[in-house]
């Protein structure tokens, strides 16, 4: 493994020309499709879903074409400045796009895997009355993610960032008639606002200190910033990344996002939203590489989150929530990689791309199981499904073997190098972070094997009068097969002859001076395989004969894991309840204080004027009496003054 690279030289991008001058279509096509589906309304119900699929398919074909065009360019970048987006005083922001090696691989992931998920969703959502609206939101989601990765400055990234947040809210709460779905959508939206606020403040700091938000200008100016400024800026970017990618301490929204339709879960976890945080840190690598403390924080967040996700995932019984916590954990590995810096930036991106295949495969496989089991999600009530759903079983098996990291599947080639890299730090933290990554590998093998065995093997535990397992239609199984193939071969292809790492060098920089791991590469690899096989073997031996269909008394650790290690309780106690108390106190102050004062003055004026109106009787003798009384009072006061009584 290589140490963090030395700061790169001047960053510069070339203006797009020729065919690459039209790569703005990558964003425009799915965005236009979403607009058409939303504006036409019910008139597009019968064919709208196919328009949504075609839009993403067209974007994938274009992305592939632009990818090969980019390979032929010497500087490996193409930049477009479409128009002035913001021009206020000294602040000038272009609506600009950048197509470079990092953006290109994300475009292929988003549109390629996204196309298969769209195709799957045609059948999965076939009986839903809102299918046309669903595909409109789906296209909007992809368009926002493409803008996020193609923007040439942080404002454009933020524009796509917020678009992804909006689309995820619409999709997670798509079945808003269910209180759980509506609540999950709000939870995701609000927790992401915390991270988004950090990213926004970071962008403000860029402009305040560097006078720009353009990538090349920011990266070239990092060397002029103080260490404290770089640290604060990086922590704010990390906060934004943690929100979108479901990393500690903002991970609680991600498992609850399973309340949306299963294709939404696949798109969020495999190709779009949760990968945004990793992209942000990788894109901002000159910032993070400039401060070792900042890198240590990123590595710590990744290591903590990967273990947290593993432990909680091992105690869940909902098939989609187990997969959701596995995403939290696998993204933790990616944060570990980008935090290590240097050559590990590329390792994190390789794992991200491989993860896109096997996680989409397993989420869609989970949807296939639910489709065949009357929407049952409790793995304790499955068992023996390999006999009834052979395609789903085999394709899910490929995803399972890939994520636990058995050779020669993708996960081995993408995750094992990150574990090795974690052991290359030049102090005692090599043992800490390397040990965490190694332990995570064993735990991943355990809980993913538990999921696989309880779902597809052992005795059947379903209720035959309710569930009738059967294989899914071809429109659902074909994407599963293609994703399963990617789960097997993608990792090996990406690391072949350092192909992807070399491709990303213009963006992520050359690897720096090589450090030796505290253990040899061979020893770490053997240890990784041993703990993986041990974890998988333990789970197989414990669950091959099934499990109880009802909750059983559990140990303290299992109980804590079932309650998400009390992270939700912590958030409620520290943030939610004090927030509710503060809100109620402010409402009380507003009602009784501000409104009370205003209403009191109004009542006093109204009451006083009412009493004064009683003096207006219309009778002359009443007015004469009033005048006489006033005159007597004036005379009495005058005499009192003269006599010195009031002196």
């Amino acid at each position: 493994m290589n140490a963090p690279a030395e700061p790169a030289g001047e960053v510069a991008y070339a203006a797009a020309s020729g065919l690459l001058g039209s790569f703005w279509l990558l964003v425009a096509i799915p965005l236009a499709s979403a607009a058409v589906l939303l504006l036409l309304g019910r008139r597009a119900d019968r064919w709208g879903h196919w328009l949504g699929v075609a839009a993403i398919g067209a974007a994938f074909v274009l992305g592939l074409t632009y990818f090969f065009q980019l390979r032929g360019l010497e500087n490996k970048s193409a930049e477009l400045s479409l128009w002035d987006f913001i021009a206020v005083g000294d602040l000038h922001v272009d609506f600009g796009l950048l197509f470079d090696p990092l953006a290109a691989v994300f475009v292929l992931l988003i549109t390629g895997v996204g196309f298969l998920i769209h195709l799957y969703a045609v059948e999965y959502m076939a009986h839903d009355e809102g299918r046309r609206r669903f595909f409109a939101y789906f296209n909007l989601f992809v368009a926002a993610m493409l803008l996020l990765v193609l923007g040439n400055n942080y404002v454009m990234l933020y524009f796509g960032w917020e678009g992804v947040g909006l689309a995820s809210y619409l999709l997670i709460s798509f079945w808003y008639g269910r209180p759980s779905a509506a609540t999950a959508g709000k939870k995701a939206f609000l927790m992401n606002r915390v991270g988004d606020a950090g990213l926004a403040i970071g962008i403000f700091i860029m402009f305040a200190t560097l006078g720009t938000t353009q990538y090349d200008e920011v990266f070239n100016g990092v060397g002029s910033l103080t260490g404290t400024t770089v640290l604060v800026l990086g922590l704010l970017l990390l906060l934004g990344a943690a929100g979108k990618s479901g990393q500690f301490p903002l991970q609680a929204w991600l498992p609850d996002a399973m309340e949306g339709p299963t294709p939404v879960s696949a798109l969020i976890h495999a190709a779009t939203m949760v990968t945004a945080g990793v992209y942000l840190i990788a894109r901002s690598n000159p910032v993070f590489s400039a401060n070792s403390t900042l890198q240590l924080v990123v590595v710590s967040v990744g290591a903590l989150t990967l273990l947290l996700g593993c432990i909680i995932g091992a105690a869940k019984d909902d098939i989609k929530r187990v997969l959701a916590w596995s995403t939290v954990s696998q993204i933790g590995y990616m944060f570990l990689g980008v935090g290590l810096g240097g050559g590990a930036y590329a390792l994190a991106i390789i794992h991200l791309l491989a993860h896109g295949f096997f996680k989409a495969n397993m989420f869609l496989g989970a949807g296939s199981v639910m489709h065949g089991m009357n929407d049952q999600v409790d793995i304790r009530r499955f068992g023996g499904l390999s006999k009834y759903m052979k395609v789903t079983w085999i394709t899910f098996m490929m995803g399972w073997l890939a994520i636990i990291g058995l050779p020669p599947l993708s996960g081995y080639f993408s995750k094992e190098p990150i574990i090795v890299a974690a052991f290359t730090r030049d102090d005692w933290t090599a043992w800490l972070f390397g040990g965490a990554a190694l332990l995570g590998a064993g735990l991943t093998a355990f809980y993913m094997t538990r999921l696989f065995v309880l779902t597809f093997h052992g005795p059947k535990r379903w209720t035959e009068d309710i569930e009738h397992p059967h294989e899914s239609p071809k429109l659902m199984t074909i994407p599963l097969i293609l994703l399963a193939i990617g789960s097997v071969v993608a990792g090996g292809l990406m690391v072949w002859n350092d192909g992807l790492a070399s491709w990303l060098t213009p963006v992520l920089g050359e690897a720096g001076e090589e450090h030796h791991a505290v253990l040899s590469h061979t020893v770490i690899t053997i240890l990784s395989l041993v703990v993986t096989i041990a974890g998988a073997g333990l789970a197989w031996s414990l669950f091959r004969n099934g499990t109880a269909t009802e909750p059983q008394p559990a140990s303290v650790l299992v109980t804590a894991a079932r309650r998400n290690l009390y992270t939700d309780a912590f958030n409620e106690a520290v943030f939610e309840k004090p927030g509710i108390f503060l809100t109620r106190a402010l409402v009380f102050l507003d009602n009784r204080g501000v409104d009370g004062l205003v209403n009191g003055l109004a009542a006093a004026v109204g009451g006083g004027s009412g009493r004064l109106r009683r003096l207006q009787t219309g009778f002359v003798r009443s007015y004469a009496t009033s005048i006489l009384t006033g005159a007597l009072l004036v005379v009495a006061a005058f005499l009192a003054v003269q006599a010195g009584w009031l002196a």
Side-chain angles (χ1 to χ4, degrees), residues 14 22 97 145 168 214 263 267 274 282 318 331 389 431 461 486 497 505-506 531 608 618:
S22 63
L97 304 176
M145 188 67 190
S168 67
Q214 295 289 126
L267 194 62
V274 299
D318 183 316
I331 299 293
M389 311 177 70
W431 293 102
R461 300 179 299 278
N497 199 28
T505 296
V531 298

Side-chain angles (χ1 to χ4, degrees), residues 25-215:
L25 289 171
L26 292 169
V27 179
I29 291 174
L31 185 61
S33 175
V36 168
L37 294 177
L38 291 173
L39 293 174
L40 289 183
R42 296 184 181 275
R43 288 170 288 183
D45 278 350
R46 290 198 294 179
W47 50 266
H49 48 284
W50 289 116
L51 175 62
V53 173
I56 306 305
F60 174 67
V61 172
L62 284 175
L64 202 57
T65 303
Y66 297 140
F67 173 81
F68 286 111
Q69 288 286 314
L70 190 67
R71 290 185 62 186
L73 298 182
E74 183 178 354
N75 55 14
K76 296 294 187 295
S77 70
E79 188 175 23
L80 281 177
S81 180
L82 300 177
W83 62 78
D84 287 339
F85 184 59
I86 299 175
V88 179
D90 294 332
L91 176 59
H92 293 275
V93 178
D94 288 339
F95 196 103
L97 304 176
L98 173 66
F99 194 74
D100 66 357
L102 182 62
V105 295
F106 270 86
V107 166
L108 294 180
L109 173 69
I110 296 164
T111 58
V113 174
F115 171 75
L116 295 176
I117 297 172
H118 275 68
L119 189 63
Y120 175 99
V122 171
E123 182 64 36
Y124 190 88
M125 300 294 292
H127 302 293
D128 195 293
E129 294 181 357
R131 182 166 64 169
R132 181 262 317 156
R133 178 168 54 89
F134 175 85
F135 274 87
Y137 296 160
F138 235 27
N139 278 188
L140 179 63
F141 202 176
V142 172
M145 188 67 190
L146 287 170
L147 177 59
L148 188 158
V149 301
L150 287 172
N152 71 346
N153 60 76
Y154 282 95
V155 174
M156 286 297 97
L157 178 144
Y158 192 78
F159 198 12
W161 197 271
E162 292 302 311
V164 167
L166 170 62
S168 67
Y169 168 76
L170 295 172
L171 288 166
I172 294 170
S173 58
F174 182 76
W175 289 322
Y176 54 84
R178 302 177 183 178
S180 57
T183 300
K186 288 186 288 186
K187 184 175 183 178
F189 191 81
L190 292 174
M191 291 200 74
N192 270 274
R193 297 289 72 72
V194 177
D196 295 357
L199 177 57
I201 296 171
I203 295 173
F204 296 155
I205 290 177
M206 288 177 197
F207 178 72
T209 56
L210 299 172
T212 182
T213 62
Q214 295 289 126
Y215 288 149

Side-chain angles (χ1 to χ4, degrees), residues 510-559:
E510 295 282 354
E513 180 185 355
E514 184 172 340
H515 277 290
H516 294 290
V518 293
L519 297 173
S520 71
H521 191 150
T522 302
V523 170
I524 297 171
T525 300
I526 293 173
L527 286 175
S528 178
L529 291 175
V530 167
V531 298
T532 296
I533 294 172
L538 177 61
W540 195 286
S541 65
L542 289 175
F543 301 107
R544 69 180 185 275
N545 294 321
T547 187
T549 57
E550 299 297 333
Q552 302 295 311
S555 66
V556 174
L557 179 59
V558 173
T559 300

